[in-house]
């Protein structure tokens, strides 16, 4: 595989770190999490988050009427959510005359549920946003309330806490529609594998598609009762988007089969129907035929991580360094004799982009009647240490303890009802308060190395407006599910025929019109931003 000079240098520097991480995964027998915070950016001054706590001041908004806020997160709720909610509500009632209901979508069909939440008009006061939940498009379509005017009034501490350039970066059509997270991290993908099995059978270390495939083959041969590759029904995101990010150098997962290479942003092509897509689909068919994936993959709803931590599967095609670390913690508690290995894709393809401020945020949907109170509550979640620690780590002494400055889970992932960041609260991380387990030192080592080859994320600010092709877009979505997903999963006997059928149906749905309109908007954005 082609490797840039920078990436090649980084590889040699990083070999020791990758070894270090796999060793860490094996020998870190306590559930500790890394202490000092290398990712902190613009953390507030020490007193900033505790002003109202210390003085008992109320925010400058009308809190005379008691309200219940509907708060929506993606994914699955932790077991202890009810007691955490109860403790949050005791404080919120006193501080803001408000209570909150924490709602979760689950990871099954979350995108359909998300669409319904924003489209049905039901009461939602705060909802998670990211580029992968189409924040830019939803903001452009009026799904969220602009925050510019109410931020200084309802959440002055939060307003000054988030750096000005981050507020600027999340603006759509000149307005702020989400509160961005300030923690600097990389969510670039990397291969994850059972390192103890790799050592046992002397398999190659996965560093590119070829070596990853050799590893899967080795597992199939030596561990016949195990599935080599963890995969589920979301083959669009978890299989093809991830595969393309290591096999090619796209700037991200663009919709409608549109392909733009990071190095040539003005050159827009169609991946769908191309030789490159055909080759990739042939690879997927080979993986399916060889038994690397389960046959009923399109019916699997389990998370990718659970399949590995439970021992049912041996590898993930891609995951980010932080989630990899969470898996390490789980495995240490339940199977201390297992080890996990990790290889970040940027070391192979040279593209390491820190997350864009759009990546983790919270917006107030148009349906909310409690915008000021919602924002004042969210300020508490981010800047008030009591709310922040409780909703990120649970109850000290029950869910976790701090040993030598490191986070340590009490019990294991089965007995503990609130693991680290158990609420999926990535968006309200506060670098000043964050607790890390000891293994996280290894993740920080990865971040430090990626810092050396980092390139800016120049493209996440693009906001698609699909008004002109809304009907075609809905039709295309159905065509994808019916004809492309089985191809992605390697379940279609004749790839060439299957691809031709998909393209025919996609064109009937209006693919050409969609791609032309999207390309026009894309090129205007690239020109407007002066991106070369």
């Amino acid at each position: 595989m082609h490797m840039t000079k920078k990436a090649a240098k980084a590889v040699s520097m990083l070999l020791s770190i990758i070894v270090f991480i796999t060793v860490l995964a094996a020998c870190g027998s306590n559930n500790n999490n890394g202490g000092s915070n290398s990712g902190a950016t613009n953390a507030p001054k020490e007193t900033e988050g505790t002003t109202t706590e210390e003085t008992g001041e109320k925010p400058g908004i009308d809190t005379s009427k008691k309200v219940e806020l509907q708060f929506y997160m993606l994914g699955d709720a932790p077991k202890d959510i009810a007691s955490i909610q109860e403790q949050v509500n005791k404080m919120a009632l006193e501080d803001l005359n408000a209570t909150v209901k924490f709602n979760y979508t689950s990871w099954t069909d979350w995108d359909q549920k998300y669409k319904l939440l924003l489209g049905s008009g039901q009461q939602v006061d705060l909802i998670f946003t990211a580029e992968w939940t189409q924040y830019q498009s939803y903001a452009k379509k009026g799904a969220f309330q602009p925050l510019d005017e109410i931020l200084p009034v309802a959440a002055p501490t939060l307003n000054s806490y988030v750096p000005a350039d981050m507020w600027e970066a999340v603006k759509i059509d000149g307005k702020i529609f989400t509160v961005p997270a300030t923690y600097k991290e990389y969510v670039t993908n990397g291969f994850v594998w059972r390192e103890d099995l790799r050592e046992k059978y002397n398999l190659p270390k996965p560093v590119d598609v070829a070596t990853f495939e050799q590893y899967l083959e080795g597992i199939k041969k030596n561990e016949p009762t195990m599935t080599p590759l963890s995969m589920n029904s979301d083959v669009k995101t978890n299989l093809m988007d991830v595969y393309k990010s290591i096999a090619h150098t796209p700037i991200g997962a663009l919709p409608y089969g549109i392909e733009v290479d990071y190095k040539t942003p003005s050159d827009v092509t169609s991946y769908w129907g191309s030789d490159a897509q055909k080759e990739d689909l042939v690879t997927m068919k080979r993986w399916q035929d060889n038994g690397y994936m389960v046959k009923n993959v399109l019916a699997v709803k389990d998370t990718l991580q659970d399949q590995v931590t439970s021992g049912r599967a041996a590898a993930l095609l891609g995951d980010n360094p932080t989630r990899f670390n969470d898996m390490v913690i789980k495995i240490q508690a339940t199977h201390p004799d297992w080890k996990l290995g990790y290889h970040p894709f940027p070391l192979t393809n040279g593209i390491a982009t820190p997350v864009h401020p759009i990546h983790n945020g919270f917006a107030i949907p148009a349906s909310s009647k409690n915008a000021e109170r919602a924002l004042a509550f969210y300020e508490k979640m981010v800047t008030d240490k009591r709310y922040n620690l409780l909703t990120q780590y649970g109850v000290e002494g029950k869910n976790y303890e701090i040993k030598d400055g490191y986070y340590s889970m009490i019990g294991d992932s089965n007995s503990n009802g609130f693991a680290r960041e158990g609420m999926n609260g990535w968006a309200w991380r506060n670098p000043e308060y964050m607790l890390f387990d000891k293994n996280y030192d290894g993740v920080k080592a990865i971040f430090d190395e990626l810092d050396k080859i980092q390139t800016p994320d120049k493209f996440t600010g693009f906001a698609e407006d699909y008004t002109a092709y809304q009907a075609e877009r809905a039709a295309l979505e159905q065509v994808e599910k019916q004809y492309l997903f089985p191809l992605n999963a390697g379940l279609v006997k004749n790839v060439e025929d299957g691809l031709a059928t998909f393209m025919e149906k996609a064109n009937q749905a209006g693919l050409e019109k969609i791609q032309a309109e999207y390309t026009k908007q894309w090129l205007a954005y690239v020109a407007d931003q002066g991106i070369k």
Side-chain angles (χ1 to χ4, degrees), residues 113-139:
K113 291 169 189 167
Y114 193 86
K115 198 183 287 182
L116 278 173
L117 284 170
L118 290 177
S120 64
Q122 79 176 80
Q123 176 72 18
V124 180
D125 297 299
L126 286 157
I127 194 164
F128 175 78
T129 61
E131 79 285 0
W132 52 274
T133 68
Q134 281 80 54
Y135 159 73
Q136 304 93 313
S137 294
Y138 278 119

Side-chain angles (χ1 to χ4, degrees), residues 231-240 297-298 485 488-489:
M231 191 43 61
N232 60 18
S233 61
D234 191 1
V235 290
K236 176 189 171 107
T237 310
N238 294 333
L239 185 58
M240 291 316 296
V297 62
L298 293 178
F485 283 25
N488 288 344

Side-chain angles (χ1 to χ4, degrees), residues 23 29 62 116 151 180 209 243 252 272 286 303 323 336 355 376 397 404 420 426 439 455 465:
V23 170
S29 57
D62 179 9
L116 278 173
L151 264 166
V209 171
Y243 181 81
W272 285 352
R286 184 169 66 247
T303 71
R323 265 210 304 252
V355 292
D404 306 325
R420 184 178 177 275
W426 321 295
N439 296 307
T455 48
D465 179 1

Side-chain angles (χ1 to χ4, degrees), residues 264-311:
T264 52
S266 297
D267 187 11
V268 183
T269 58
S270 179
Y271 169 74
W272 285 352
S274 68
D275 289 343
Q277 186 189 23
K278 199 185 299 175
E279 251 170 67
D280 293 348
L281 293 175
V282 166
T283 298
M284 292 309 133
K285 185 170 189 308
R286 184 169 66 247
W287 287 10
Q288 180 60 260
D289 291 348
N290 290 353
Y292 304 159
M293 282 185 274
V294 292
K295 282 268 178 275
N296 69 334
V297 62
L298 293 178
V300 175
K301 299 300 179 191
D302 299 357
T303 71
L304 303 185
Q305 293 76 19
D306 285 352
Q307 294 175 52
V308 173
T309 56
S310 68

